[in-house]
Amino acid sequence: MKRLIVILLLGTAATWSSVAFATPSQGQSSTILSVGAMQADLAFNTGLTAEANGVTWGDRKYSTDQLPEFLMRLRAAGVTNLGLWMNLHPLVSAKFGMVPIGLLNQPEIVNQQATFAPGAASGWHSHPGYLTSTVVSGTVIRYATDCSVQTFTAGQSFYETGASTFIVKNPSTTDPAVVNVTFVVPGGTPTTALRVDKAQPTGCSQ
């Protein structure tokens, strides 16, 4: 029987030696359409990636297909709750090729409509939890931190998580773009915290 181990992502923060300035949105306006509390827990793909090449533990290297042997070693070392241990060590789990799953307990569902004026930009940002966006009209271009580009037109959707930082722009100089967004965020998240401003990545001029 195949098992899905849900990886609970622990909050982490990087400490930088220099100050990074946020990039707020320009020409974007948003309207909250609805807010609702889900009466259930929800697992989602965080989008985090890691090379699945196994782990070295002590004096032995465990390949990706030797997870059972690795778990037996943990058990012998006194680990009584293997699932919890793997949840608390997501990097180890990822190196065994497991999908990095996040778990939201009774999350908040927020529907929002975002309008991008001609030439508008969202600013570099990320989100708690995850979101799905559908372009209602116009065109938007999304840039990732490596400056890779994706273009979305009316009727197309995209997905974002807190694992990545993006900027979304309306390339048109004449027409606005309208995007409907559904946020799935930790319960109790205020609507003012749906977006986390990020600094412009080094080497990306967008």
Side-chain angles (χ1 to χ4, degrees):
M1 175 185 295
K2 293 183 178 179
R3 294 183 178 180
L4 171 65
I5 297 179
V6 176
I7 300 171
L8 300 179
L9 298 177
L10 303 179
T12 59
T15 302
W16 301 95
S17 59
S18 59
V19 177
F21 295 98
T23 55
S25 63
Q26 297 177 336
Q28 176 191 347
S29 60
S30 300
T31 302
I32 300 293
L33 303 178
S34 65
V35 179
M38 178 176 283
Q39 303 304 303
D41 297 339
L42 186 146
F44 69 101
N45 186 340
T46 63
L48 291 172
T49 58
E51 186 176 357
N53 54 7
V55 298
T56 298
W57 196 265
D59 57 354
R60 181 177 171 185
K61 168 77 174 182
Y62 293 87
S63 63
T64 55
D65 60 351
Q66 291 179 313
L67 176 61
E69 291 89 340
F70 177 74
L71 295 177
M72 289 176 62
R73 181 161 182 179
L74 290 180
R75 179 77 74 187
V79 177
T80 56
N81 189 329
L82 296 174
L84 177 60
W85 192 96
M86 296 298 283
N87 286 344
L88 294 174
H89 298 81
L91 181 58
V92 173
S93 300
K95 285 184 173 294
F96 277 108
M98 298 178 188
V99 175
I101 298 296
L103 181 66
L104 293 174
N105 296 306
Q106 298 188 327
E108 211 90 68
I109 312 298
V110 182
N111 291 303
Q112 180 186 80
Q113 186 169 89
T115 300
F116 292 81
S122 67
W124 288 96
H125 68 283
S126 65
H127 302 280
Y130 74 93
L131 65 80
T132 56
S133 297
T134 299
V135 181
V136 177
S137 62
T139 297
V140 295
I141 298 177
R142 184 177 66 171
Y143 299 87
T145 52
D146 60 358
C147 284
S148 59
V149 178
Q150 290 177 289
T151 300
F152 301 94
T153 59
Q156 294 183 323
S157 300
F158 56 93
Y159 176 85
E160 291 184 13
T161 75
S164 301
T165 298
F166 297 95
I167 187 171
V168 177
K169 294 185 174 184
N170 177 3
S172 175
T173 59
T174 58
D175 300 317
V178 177
V179 180
N180 283 350
V181 184
T182 299
F183 297 90
V184 184
V185 296
T189 300
T191 56
T192 54
L194 296 175
R195 165 202 168 96
V196 180
D197 285 349
K198 297 288 188 176
Q200 180 173 322
T202 302
C204 188
S205 61
Q206 301 302 324

